[in-house]
Amino acid sequence: MKDAVQALHVYRTYFPDPQGGLQEAIRQIALATQAQCIDSTIFTLSPRPEPAHLERPEGTVVRCRSLLAPASCDLGGLDALRTFRQAERMADVVVHHFPWPYGDILHAVGGGTPAVMVYHSDTVRQRLLGWIYKPLVWRTMRSMSAIVATS
């Protein structure tokens, strides 16, 4: 039997914290890819990350504390950076779910694991912050092996 590919999904929030469309999209991707021998881990931030690891049908959810969430952009601390790097070392591919500026920072300081981006939405409602964020977005996009647009 072929060894499973290890995928690390990266997004700012995940179940059980919020109930949202993007979280459901990640869950569906992780469930659907199990048939292709892809095991998923989901890295996320949470205001209450206890327990830090959750086993769910779609994969393992690895949670670190969200320190702040300005403009709906959860930010983690050094523990989140360390935990992401550990999870990335175990992954064959990192799947960044865009937009999440802190996820772009994680990618920039990551260890070079091949990465793809699932582009879910433009940054809307944050005109000034979007302008500031744009150089990081383009740097991140140029470094991706592939970009999948969902709409």
Side-chain angles (χ1 to χ4, degrees), residues 2-113:
K2 180 182 164 192
D3 287 339
V5 171
Q6 301 300 313
L8 175 62
H9 294 267
V10 180
Y11 190 59
R12 67 182 186 88
T13 58
Y14 196 71
F15 300 121
D17 289 324
Q19 302 290 321
L22 209 137
Q23 294 79 9
E24 181 61 25
I26 295 168
R27 188 177 83 80
Q28 292 297 325
I29 292 167
L31 288 168
T33 56
Q34 288 174 347
Q36 284 73 42
C37 295
I38 298 174
D39 291 339
S40 292
T41 299
I42 298 102
F43 175 86
T44 190
L45 300 181
S46 170
R48 292 171 306 284
E50 294 87 23
H53 292 87
L54 297 170
E55 293 301 327
R56 295 180 49 93
E58 65 271 24
T60 302
V61 180
V62 176
R63 306 185 311 161
C64 291
R65 182 163 309 284
S66 173
L67 300 178
L68 296 167
S72 298
C73 175
D74 286 69
L75 303 172
L78 292 176
D79 179 56
L81 290 170
R82 279 192 296 272
T83 303
F84 171 77
R85 291 292 303 269
Q86 290 170 347
E88 183 190 31
R89 281 194 285 276
M90 303 299 291
D92 297 307
V93 64
V94 179
V95 183
H96 288 275
H97 294 271
F98 181 88
W100 185 30
Y102 188 73
D104 295 340
I105 292 167
L106 291 173
H107 176 69
V109 301
T113 301

